[in-house]
Amino acid sequence: MKLRPEDFQSVAREEVAKTAQRDFVVMVAGVFNYLCDTAMGAYGDKVAQEEARSMGAQIRENSLHHLPELLEEFERNAIRNGIQVLWATDAEEACQLVKGLVEKHQVKTITKGKSMISEEIGLNHFLEEETGVKIYEGDLGEFIVQQRGTIPFHIVGPAINLTIQEIASILQQHIDMPYTEIATEIVGYMRTFLREKFEKADMGITGVNQAVASTGSLILVENEGNIRWTTSAPRVHVALMSIEKVCANYADAFHLLGLLTRNCTGQAITSYVSILNGPRRDDEEDGPEAMYVVIIDNGRSVAYQDPHLKEALRCIRCGRCGIQCPIYLRIGAYPYGWCYPGPMGNVIAPLIMGLDRTRDLYEACTLCGGCQSVCPGGMPHLELIARYRHMKVTGDKRFGGTRVSIKERAVFELLARGMQNPALYNSGLKVARRYINRRSQEGYVTSLPGPMSGWFVCRDFPQLPEKSFRERWREDLQREATQMASTAAVKQEAAAHSEEE
Ligand code: SF4
């Protein structure tokens, strides 16, 4: 299934109709939210939790503020550790660099740790097409998604939307697993299947959770052990990281990782934490002979130069914002058409894929702020989304935005003028009310033509009251004034009577 953000609306319509999937995802999100809140409780009460989050945001701010220097420091120390550092300006160059390494080391088989940046640059597809190399995702959820040919449904639960029957069928169809609906049997089969791949792979490819500038180390977190295998068994290890993944030192890295795992799976820390300081030394038994890190820009430095858009690089990929988002929970990941679903995708995708292509993403946001309230990286989702909308309207060329059409601009221009002029506003309202109410049946309007038709795809509209709030308010005031005047007149008359007597 080829998914693209341009197809957001049609895919969303299909996904929203899958009520069983939707209910399941809402239920899972509830469980994860509970686990994450409980895990955050380890910092203390709400104030202490907020402080922990603020400290995370501060670390991200410092890292971004010093990004060029930190990247250079990381490169120097990584090279000192024996890691070869490569730089890629875009997805194409990153893929070509990895292809060069595949050829140089005569690689036939690759195992991978789950890596969003590899999804972002489309590495699997590229390498399979260009080199014929066989790639096995090592994370079970990611492996299932890879066989199915879709994108991950959630950043940490790539296949959470699939039923056990669907998973069993996919694995039966693609790797001849004997059909079973018993989860432990599936996991047991996959463990044996993947272990053999890990042992025989020539190259391991992973992402990076944090790169530590002061030591040139890479840190990766996981729960399944696949990353430990991928980074230690094959002859060559290639780590892919986007430029913003660097931080100053271990203290910063571990504070962010504590926030990451607590907001991701609700764990204080994951089952495995790998700290990689270069390829195998002469006196060591495990580890790759050669180790590379590919640092990928892919549009980020353009955003980095803008003081507001730079904020989008704060994300540490915990995925917590997704399970807060009322839109994501109803439509799931596929409509976003890319590897970063939900609010995370809303802020990252427009900067990398362009404002036009991703328009529906940042427009399908209610600005409820649920995402922003939990983000451990201090991401200002709301400000960014409002900015993207503005950039789209004004046609910001740096990020692939074309100005909205003359027709659309004219409509909003007219609306803005009408809203600023009470006389125009009131007469417009009267005309609209008459027009809408003429189409109502039994107190409800169920369809309107033109640009309003979209509203009625899945909702109706109660007939508009005959008078607006302002008209009724004015009438009430007048009635009150008349009553007060007549009461005053009666009192005056009564007073005059008593004086006469
Ligand atoms: S935007 Fe914030 S909450 Fe969302 S994935 Fe990134 S760090 Fe986590």
Side-chain angles (χ1 to χ4, degrees):
M1 185 178 13
K2 179 82 183 137
L3 293 164
R4 312 171 318 147
E6 292 91 323
D7 300 326
F8 183 94
Q9 295 196 24
S10 57
V11 180
R13 257 193 291 277
E14 283 168 25
E15 292 298 302
V16 90
K18 297 177 186 167
T19 46
Q21 168 182 294
R22 207 180 57 202
D23 293 348
F24 179 71
V25 172
V26 169
M27 188 271 290
V28 170
V31 173
F32 269 100
N33 268 320
Y34 170 77
L35 292 175
C36 294
D37 285 343
T38 310
M40 283 298 289
Y43 289 113
D45 60 13
K46 290 276 176 219
V47 177
Q49 291 174 35
E50 206 40 62
E51 277 170 8
R53 260 193 291 267
S54 302
M55 193 170 153
Q58 190 60 52
I59 292 171
R60 289 304 296 136
E61 191 169 325
N62 292 344
S63 303
L64 290 178
H65 190 66
H66 298 290
L67 192 58
E69 304 94 76
L70 287 177
L71 283 168
E72 283 172 14
E73 187 186 353
F74 169 75
E75 182 183 33
R76 274 195 307 279
N77 289 323
I79 291 172
R80 196 172 301 139
N81 290 340
I83 302 172
Q84 297 177 58
V85 180
L86 308 169
W87 298 82
T89 46
D90 55 23
E92 169 69 20
E93 191 179 358
C95 288
Q96 290 291 355
L97 283 172
V98 182
K99 180 185 166 196
L101 298 177
V102 165
E103 288 166 352
K104 178 179 170 192
H105 292 280
Q106 298 175 352
V107 171
K108 297 277 176 288
T109 315
I110 295 174
T111 54
K112 279 184 72 218
K114 184 152 60 62
S115 151
M116 301 315 287
I117 186 75
S118 87
E119 301 264 356
E120 177 184 321
I121 62 174
L123 185 66
N124 285 12
H125 180 70
F126 177 89
L127 286 183
E128 282 176 343
E129 290 269 303
E130 294 276 322
T131 65
V133 77
K134 193 77 193 134
I135 301 173
Y136 297 94
E137 289 289 344
D139 176 276
L140 180 51
E142 199 71 26
F143 181 85
I144 294 164
V145 168
Q146 181 193 20
Q147 304 309 312
R148 196 167 177 248
T150 52
I151 55 176
F153 194 85
H154 184 262
I155 196 160
V156 287
I160 50 160
N161 58 320
L162 302 178
T163 61
I164 192 109
Q165 292 80 4
E166 286 171 314
I167 291 170
S169 302
I170 293 164
L171 296 176
Q172 182 187 37
Q173 188 188 335
H174 292 275
I175 58 164
D176 285 335
M177 184 193 79
Y179 187 89
T180 170
E181 294 179 8
I182 301 169
T184 48
E185 286 182 9
I186 295 178
V187 172
Y189 183 89
M190 286 309 303
R191 184 178 289 131
T192 312
F193 178 88
L194 284 173
R195 183 155 293 204
E196 193 229 332
K197 310 298 175 208
F198 290 135
E199 284 169 357
K200 292 193 178 149
D202 305 302
M203 177 184 274
I205 297 180
T206 64
V208 172
N209 289 110
Q210 285 296 317
V212 183
S214 62
T215 59
S217 320
L218 302 176
I219 309 184
L220 290 112
V221 291
E222 50 147 347
N223 280 314
E224 296 178 16
N226 59 306
I227 289 180
R228 189 63 62 82
W229 268 107
T230 299
T231 54
S232 55
R235 288 184 282 121
V236 186
H237 172 214
V238 179
L240 308 172
M241 63 177 256
S242 46
I243 54 169
E244 73 274 21
K245 283 296 180 84
V246 71
C247 66
N249 50 43
Y250 274 120
D252 284 1
F254 276 99
H255 185 74
L256 290 179
L257 291 177
L259 287 169
L260 171 76
T261 57
R262 283 185 172 89
N263 284 286
C264 192
T265 49
Q267 293 169 287
I269 195 70
T270 44
S271 310
Y272 296 86
V273 178
S274 300
I275 303 177
L276 308 173
N277 286 302
R280 171 159 37 106
R281 312 281 193 269
D282 291 341
D283 58 344
E284 289 173 344
E285 282 183 17
D286 297 316
E289 292 160 15
M291 188 172 162
Y292 300 86
V293 57
V294 183
I295 303 177
I296 303 167
D297 183 324
N298 207 23
R300 287 164 173 81
S301 349
V302 185
Y304 184 74
Q305 285 159 31
D306 183 302
H308 301 288
L309 303 180
K310 171 181 174 180
E311 300 287 308
L313 303 180
R314 281 174 174 268
C315 180
I316 57 169
R317 314 277 190 272
C318 67
R320 183 78 197 268
C321 50
I323 55 173
Q324 293 284 323
C325 175
I327 309 298
Y328 170 78
L329 290 181
R330 270 142 198 90
I331 62 172
Y334 299 152
Y336 294 86
W338 204 34
C339 55
Y340 304 114
M344 182 190 0
N346 289 350
V347 290
I348 298 173
L351 299 179
I352 295 174
M353 305 180 94
L355 292 160
D356 283 0
R357 289 191 65 194
T358 56
R359 179 177 184 171
D360 285 330
L361 271 60
Y362 52 86
E363 288 193 344
C365 170
T366 61
L367 301 178
C368 70
C371 48
Q372 193 166 306
S373 68
V374 291
C375 178
M379 175 80 80
H381 293 84
L382 305 188
E383 203 251 308
L384 284 167
I385 287 170
R387 192 163 288 277
Y388 296 159
R389 290 176 181 177
H390 180 256
M391 286 161 64
K392 167 69 191 122
V393 171
T394 52
D396 193 313
K397 293 255 177 311
R398 293 171 305 163
F399 296 96
T402 14
R403 273 189 100 181
V404 291
S405 67
I406 295 182
K407 213 162 99 190
E408 195 173 334
R409 281 210 308 277
V411 169
F412 280 101
E413 186 80 15
L414 211 66
L415 206 61
R417 286 210 189 150
M419 301 283 257
Q420 287 165 29
N421 181 323
L424 262 180
Y425 178 82
N426 286 330
S427 30
L429 204 63
K430 276 187 190 139
V431 173
R433 189 188 299 134
R434 262 203 306 277
Y435 177 76
I436 291 172
N437 284 352
R438 259 211 305 271
R439 279 155 184 78
S440 96
Q441 283 172 349
E442 296 174 14
Y444 283 92
V445 186
T446 52
S447 71
L448 281 179
M452 284 300 290
S453 59
W455 173 271
F456 299 95
V457 172
C458 53
R459 327 170 184 80
D460 50 25
F461 202 84
Q463 181 179 325
L464 296 178
E466 284 311 315
K467 287 177 184 160
S468 72
F469 175 79
R470 286 163 65 94
E471 286 166 336
R472 287 172 59 190
W473 180 261
R474 209 178 298 122
E475 279 178 11
D476 279 355
L477 284 181
Q478 272 167 1
R479 197 176 309 119
E480 216 172 293
T482 318
Q483 263 172 9
M484 279 168 69
S486 76
T487 317
V490 170
K491 277 186 184 164
Q492 228 173 5
E493 203 175 319
H497 263 301
S498 64
E499 267 175 28
E500 277 170 22
E501 280 166 13

